[in-house]
Amino acid sequence: MTVADIDAGPVAVASGAGQTIFRRNLARFAANRLAMASVAVVFLFVLLAIFAPWIAPHDPNETDLFRRLQPPAWQAGGEWSYLLGCDALGRDILSRIIYGSRISIFIGAAVIFVATTVGIAAGLAAGYFRGWVDVTISRLVDILLSFPYLIFAIGLMAMMGPGLVNIILALAYKEWVIPCRVVRGETLATRELEYVEAARALGASSAHIMAREILPNILSPVIVVSTIRIAHVIILEASLSFLGLGVQPPTASWGSMVADGRAFILGAWWVSTFPGLAILLLVLAINVASQGLRDAFDPRFQE
Amino acid sequence: MTSLTNPLVQVENLSKVYEGRRSLANRLTGVEPFSVRAVNDVSFHVDRGEILGLIGESGCGKSTLGRAVLRLHEPTAGRVLFDGTDVTALSAGALKDMRRRMQIVFQDPYASLNPRSTVADIVGLPLRLHGLAASRSEMRDQVVGILEKVGLNAAHLDRYPHQFSGGQRQRIGIARALISHPEFIVCDEPVSALDVSIQAQIIQLLLELKDEMGLTYLFISHDISVIGYLSNRVAVMYLGEIVEMGPASDVLARPRHPYTQSLMSAVPDVDAPGHHQRVRLTGDLPSPLDPPPGCKFHTRCPLATDACKHAAPVPEEVSPGHRVACHRLHENLSVLETASRAEGC
């Protein structure tokens, strides 16, 4: 090479060698203490859900009419082996909350997984191909968005009947429009960039361009939006269960536990309150964690 | 140089029109959607092993022309013959194979590399797409080979674009364009985003690679000194049309179109400061949404007459291979002779 190699040596740009933007953002996220504490809470709930049979002190469905509406341990009449008291059928509330976390977390994760997969595919197609593909998908999104979410889900549940798979489908039917809109917008912006054009100039197929050139570059906002939406889906699932359209008894679900305790709220506050607190804690933790994710991954929040 | 009579790239009456969507509201109110003639009936050829410099102001359609030639933007009308094959008529599959033989180097070295891919993936992509490497190790060897040709090395393979400087990134872009051993490269302002010191290096690199790999360039730029330095022939573009084209020495030393003359006079003359006779253009480039009738240059031309406002000039050959589209070509000659006489003393 006769060319003067003034600029040919490797330059260390701010970040260290081998560090990607993604890793830098991840490090930024890890430095956020509140977000990390929230991640720990979420992680704790996930562990509870996975190891429920070993952690739960009692069988969640075992009724004992002698312990009907037994108060929490620290109140008069309480017992330390039934820490959070018992419900109207004498079932241990703590055990039911632990088992209930399985339903909430599983449905939240499953709905977001299905919805994000469908949303990414639809959003990429709409944003990349444009034309009638975009018109069809975008109008469908507009139509779905015009329904109130809960009413839509209730309608679907009424049609399909209750059950775990049906809840996931009922929620995912509408949930996919959220990642779809994000992906479509990002794709529209990214497809005009020169590296996408370069891939086309090299002879790359549409599938390659969408999957390898565009998708990796728009994933950050999708991840952020999806984590925020998990919290939303958990609340929706609890709402459906509260209304009796969710997981059917005797399976423990936080929403149905809150509903069960409603009749005794004045006399036995613990039956509704503890599952309610569980919903609050998990949703709050997910929200704070996803907020931290957004702060770390969205360039607009970076100095 | 087997066939001087058979150019590598032959562009015939190429046009590219961007049309606005005809919305329902427009249809109801009878408003015509906008249409932009970015490239209007352009014809030229590029011989094997030559560099054709394409010069013009921002927005004159030179980048669109470069992309339309490669069919990155679908031409609205006209043909592009590459080595005798009509590129505009190729099926998707045949076009993909053709893409191996014609490549593009982009202007912005920051936008033209996928930030989430390593250098090995970026430069190796053409090999993967066209099945040019039998194995991973062979692919890596080829990538290292081309990286060394452009002044990088194997240590850069697993780095990401953001870890390189602008000049280095442009080298990566050049490596990507050259790894499939193409014959024709569209250089779309490859140095205008770089520092002046780096520009010279990249231009030198492009010239060396051209000789080494037997390349043919369509070199797009708005910088006359760059074009003058490396082009064999020059085409001057104004509002989507080529107004003057010919051998570089001829066009740049004796420009015959008033637009080329004004461009040339804008280049500072280091040898004879003060003697410089500046042909100043007034006004801006007219909007391509609403191009002026007749000769498109008449709104800014110092020589324009009424005739220029009505009829578009037909290109005329003033010397071998040197064609100019101007109504006032013959009147302009005298102006030029006096100018060159002044230059002589």
Side-chain angles (χ1 to χ4, degrees), chain A residues 147-198:
Chain A
F147 286 103
Y149 206 146
L150 194 58
I151 307 282
F152 187 77
I154 291 171
L156 279 174
M157 290 305 291
M159 273 179 352
M160 299 188 300
L164 199 60
V165 176
N166 286 355
I167 299 176
I168 293 170
L169 287 179
L171 294 176
Y173 261 125
K174 198 172 138 109
E175 187 59 35
W176 68 272
V177 306
I178 307 286
C180 177
R181 287 211 306 174
V182 174
V183 170
R184 175 183 172 272
E186 296 283 331
T187 305
L188 278 176
T190 309
R191 79 188 293 279
E192 302 299 334
L193 294 180
E194 279 190 343
Y195 63 82
V196 174
E197 197 163 24

Side-chain angles (χ1 to χ4, degrees), chain B residues 158-274:
Chain B
D158 296 317
R159 292 174 197 265
Y160 289 87
H162 73 269
Q163 295 173 281
F164 293 92
S165 67
Q168 286 177 315
R169 283 161 163 255
Q170 201 55 292
R171 287 168 194 267
I172 297 169
I174 292 170
R176 169 178 60 189
L178 294 185
I179 196 166
S180 60
H181 293 278
E183 295 147 64
F184 175 61
I185 310 277
V186 172
C187 301
D188 185 11
E189 307 217 29
V191 297
S192 44
L194 304 174
D195 291 343
V196 179
S197 58
I198 313 290
Q199 284 192 3
Q201 293 177 23
I202 297 293
I203 288 172
Q204 208 53 48
L205 175 68
L206 285 169
L207 286 175
E208 281 175 23
L209 290 168
K210 171 186 170 294
D211 291 339
E212 200 179 327
M213 303 180 72
L215 300 166
T216 302
Y217 290 154
L218 172 61
F219 198 99
I220 301 169
S221 181
H222 60 252
D223 187 334
I224 296 180
S225 53
V226 169
I227 290 282
Y229 178 69
L230 47 67
S231 306
N232 302 108
R233 287 192 306 127
V234 172
V236 182
M237 217 169 160
Y238 186 81
L239 265 188
E241 289 172 1
I242 290 182
V243 295
E244 181 163 9
M245 176 163 52
S249 52
D250 216 15
V251 172
L252 300 181
R254 284 176 297 280
R256 297 294 301 278
H257 194 282
Y259 180 60
T260 321
Q261 287 167 354
S262 73
L263 283 183
M264 290 309 297
S265 77
V267 178
D269 191 346
V270 185
D271 298 326

Side-chain angles (χ1 to χ4, degrees), chain A residues 44-183:
Chain A
L44 198 74
F45 270 107
V46 173
L47 287 182
L48 279 183
I50 294 172
F51 298 108
W54 293 277
I55 297 172
H58 302 279
D59 182 337
N61 297 327
E62 188 191 79
T63 58
D64 181 351
L65 291 180
F66 290 109
R67 299 188 184 281
R68 240 184 131 252
L69 300 177
Q70 178 177 304
W74 58 90
Q75 285 201 331
E79 230 180 284
W80 283 104
S81 60
Y82 292 84
L83 191 65
L84 301 179
C86 296
D87 67 5
L89 295 174
R91 296 175 296 194
D92 179 35
I93 289 178
L94 178 61
S95 301
R96 288 183 69 74
I97 287 177
I98 292 172
Y99 272 87
S101 68
R102 292 187 142 186
I103 297 296
S104 289
I105 291 171
F106 176 72
I107 288 180
V111 168
I112 290 300
F113 178 77
V114 173
T116 306
T117 310
V118 174
I120 285 177
L124 274 175
Y128 184 76
F129 292 114
R130 299 192 292 189
W132 66 268
V133 180
D134 186 21
V135 171
T136 311
I137 292 174
S138 294
R139 286 303 88 80
L140 187 60
V141 165
D142 290 343
I143 291 168
L144 286 174
L145 277 175
S146 65
F147 286 103
Y149 206 146
L150 194 58
I151 307 282
F152 187 77
I154 291 171
L156 279 174
M157 290 305 291
M159 273 179 352
M160 299 188 300
L164 199 60
V165 176
N166 286 355
I167 299 176
I168 293 170
L169 287 179
L171 294 176
Y173 261 125
K174 198 172 138 109
E175 187 59 35
W176 68 272
V177 306
I178 307 286
C180 177
R181 287 211 306 174
V182 174
V183 170

